[in-house]
Amino acid sequence: MTSSPYRNAPHFPPTSTGLPPSSPRTAGRLRKLQSQPSLISQQRHQQLRNASPSRNPAIPALPVFSTPRKHTRTRSNSDVVATSSPSTGPSTQRAQISRRTENPKDELKSLMRRGPRGDLPNALQSLRHWILVDGLEADNDGMSDLRIYVWLIMLNSPPLSTDVYLELIRRGPSPAYAKIRNDTHRTLMTNPLFKRRVRENSIIRLLNAIAWRLHDAKSDRMTDSGRITNASTDFGSPELQHVEPVKKHAKGASTVTGDGSEAGGSEPGIYVQGMNVLCAPFLYAARTEPQAFIAFHYFITRECPGYIRGAMDGVHKGVALVERCLAIADPKLSTHLLSKGVKAQIYAFASVLTMSACTPPLPEVLQLWDFLFAFGSHLNILCICAQLMMMREELLADSSPGKLLRSFPPLQAKKIVELTVGLVRKIPPELYEELVHHAE
């Protein structure tokens, strides 16, 4: 059997922008992360190269990071020992002091603003390494000045003119408007942080604009012959290229519901229940609604188009994969749950559909999403397994574990990520490829 490209080498399918996809889509990159040469050795190797690669002006700038430093107290001027060396002038001394005292947050901001000094794949890998090792700095509410920009980079989302978003809003209610209004008031309704920052009107506007965009994309793809056209859209690239055409008015064919989604079909709908929760972290982290709109749009159309189909086949595949992965990660726990009639369809459906956003607290959700966007949203399946393993002792000791799984304990993003990285190494190659492709 030939080795899987997802294990041995990074595989970047061509896109219209010429950029690699935001998610690595490779188990090998994540499995071999600890065996990678240190950033110091990579930097020294980079400095030995006399000629730097030419930068493509069409490629957006991304940072290459130096070795992360721990937070230390900045030295005051009185702490600096004066030197009498004639070769060191005042300007040189100031530059040296600045380099020594620059903390990782300021360094990351500077590099995000100026862009990479090397090639793009290495810059993306450095950013992923930064997220995994140090994480993005945020306050107690989970707010970070850099998070939305990191998400946009990892999702490979292009800039969006505010006028494009406003034009979608001016079109009024979409075919899915009634269903959207029925869900939005329940979005993270018990979360005071979210309610304080995001109004229901913002959720309605964003989801209605998404519904119009998906409605237009569906109309453009369908031709008289029933084939899908992969014409570029205003966003710069084809959308939902993996879906199958819907054959209407045939036996067993899908039917169009009142909200514009197909019931039981493989063609994406324009709104499915759960999208309101899935868009909530984008609105919370973004500085503007257009930012949240373009990031959310690219997420659902590139990362998990199978989750928004009328039949939600991607979600059901993900739920089945939770049970299969748990059986490998923790056979005893898996056997215990199945023996008590507790199936993943009962406890994992909401977590799969919402990328674990249904489990508070919200700041931990944002931190977990940093990891998912950096290394692939398919890893949410393993994150759910990790959450079950964190409850292992309680579940094994309970004769009715289903009651404990009615709601998961509060998220602990850092611990979940640590367990997930370990689980990646246990998953067989064939099963891991199913993880990667299950949401297409």
Side-chain angles (χ1 to χ4, degrees):
M1 178 184 297
T2 60
S3 59
S4 166
Y6 292 95
R7 285 178 165 269
N8 299 329
H11 177 63
F12 295 133
T15 64
S16 61
T17 60
L19 288 172
S22 59
S23 301
R25 300 294 188 220
T26 162
R29 302 290 284 183
L30 188 56
R31 293 162 191 250
K32 298 178 182 178
L33 186 60
Q34 295 182 348
S35 64
Q36 295 280 344
S38 66
L39 291 179
I40 296 177
S41 62
Q42 293 180 29
Q43 282 188 328
R44 289 176 179 171
H45 179 71
Q46 183 82 8
Q47 292 171 357
L48 293 176
R49 294 162 57 186
N50 295 327
S52 60
S54 59
R55 179 179 296 178
N56 185 350
I59 298 179
L62 296 173
V64 173
F65 305 108
S66 62
T67 306
R69 305 186 184 95
K70 294 182 179 179
H71 289 278
T72 56
R73 182 180 69 89
T74 303
R75 296 178 62 183
S76 63
N77 292 334
S78 60
D79 291 334
V80 180
V81 179
T83 176
S84 59
S85 173
S87 60
T88 304
S91 61
T92 306
Q93 292 178 4
R94 285 195 298 268
Q96 292 175 347
I97 294 172
S98 176
R99 283 196 297 270
R100 285 197 302 266
T101 60
E102 186 176 22
N103 62 51
K105 180 180 178 181
D106 294 336
E107 184 179 2
L108 181 57
K109 282 185 177 181
S110 175
L111 292 171
M112 288 283 288
R113 182 173 63 253
R114 297 176 183 176
R117 293 185 290 271
D119 58 300
L120 188 61
N122 283 340
L124 288 171
Q125 185 63 13
S126 297
L127 183 55
R128 292 181 180 115
H129 183 272
W130 190 290
I131 291 172
L132 184 64
V133 174
D134 290 292
L136 299 180
E137 186 169 336
D139 60 23
N140 293 334
D141 293 344
M143 299 306 300
S144 170
D145 295 336
L146 300 178
R147 174 165 281 127
I148 187 59
Y149 301 106
V150 172
W151 287 6
L152 290 169
I153 289 170
M154 288 301 177
L155 292 172
N156 195 17
S157 301
L160 176 72
S161 171
T162 303
D163 292 337
V164 175
Y165 180 68
L166 293 176
E167 184 62 29
L168 291 171
I169 294 175
R170 293 190 186 104
R171 292 171 65 174
S174 68
Y177 182 75
K179 190 172 183 180
I180 290 172
R181 288 300 305 270
N182 191 47
D183 289 343
T184 52
H185 71 278
R186 295 194 294 262
T187 305
L188 304 184
M189 60 186 302
T190 60
N191 193 309
L193 292 178
F194 181 78
K195 289 296 183 181
R196 185 169 66 239
R197 179 173 175 82
V198 181
R199 303 299 182 188
E200 182 183 359
N201 287 342
S202 295
I203 308 174
I204 295 171
R205 284 193 296 265
L206 185 141
L207 291 176
N208 196 64
I210 287 288
W212 275 125
R213 177 53 60 181
L214 296 178
H215 177 273
D216 294 346
K218 182 188 299 185
S219 300
D220 293 341
R221 287 192 311 271
M222 301 305 296
T223 64
D224 294 337
S225 59
R227 293 179 299 177
I228 298 176
T229 61
N230 289 328
S232 295
T233 68
D234 293 338
F235 294 96
S237 59
E239 301 176 21
L240 304 172
Q241 299 180 19
H242 301 287
V243 299
E244 298 293 335
V246 175
K247 297 179 180 179
K248 302 184 184 297
H249 308 298
K251 183 178 180 180
S254 62
T255 58
V256 181
T257 64
D259 58 13
S261 61
E262 270 77 19
S266 59
E267 170 71 11
I270 62 176
Y271 179 79
V272 295
Q273 192 172 20
M275 285 174 64
N276 58 315
V277 178
L278 201 56
C279 79
F282 290 100
L283 283 168
Y284 186 83
R287 300 172 68 91
T288 64
E289 283 185 28
Q291 273 186 338
F293 171 82
I294 189 61
F296 180 57
H297 177 268
Y298 260 59
F299 176 68
I300 61 176
T301 58
R302 298 294 189 84
E303 294 289 317
C304 55
Y307 284 17
I308 64 169
R309 294 192 181 104
M312 294 186 182
D313 54 338
V315 180
H316 291 290
K317 290 179 182 178
V319 170
L321 285 169
V322 170
E323 284 190 347
R324 294 173 60 189
C325 291
L326 183 63
I328 295 173
D330 195 332
K332 184 177 181 180
L333 178 58
S334 175
T335 302
H336 175 69
L337 293 178
L338 292 176
S339 67
K340 301 299 181 181
V342 182
K343 297 184 178 181
Q345 189 71 23
I346 300 174
Y347 61 80
F349 188 88
S351 295
V352 173
L353 174 60
T354 64
M355 294 290 167
S356 298
C358 60
T359 305
L362 186 54
E364 296 293 319
V365 173
L366 301 178
Q367 188 176 347
L368 183 63
W369 277 29
D370 294 340
F371 169 73
L372 294 179
F373 291 162
F375 293 97
S377 58
H378 59 280
L379 292 176
N380 179 55
I381 302 299
L382 298 183
C383 289
I384 297 172
C385 293
Q387 293 176 70
L388 294 171
M389 294 171 66
M390 291 167 62
M391 305 171 60
R392 186 176 192 273
E393 298 303 324
E394 294 86 348
L395 292 173
L396 290 176
D398 199 317
S399 58
S400 301
K403 296 179 181 179
L404 294 176
L405 293 176
R406 289 175 181 174
S407 60
F408 282 10
L411 282 180
Q412 301 178 49
K414 187 174 181 180
K415 188 173 182 179
I416 291 172
V417 169
E418 291 176 356
L419 289 174
T420 300
V421 172
L423 290 180
V424 169
R425 302 185 180 96
K426 298 182 179 180
I427 305 300
E430 297 80 7
L431 181 57
Y432 193 88
E433 289 197 28
E434 290 188 49
L435 281 177
V436 172
H437 297 290
H438 81 277
E440 293 180 352

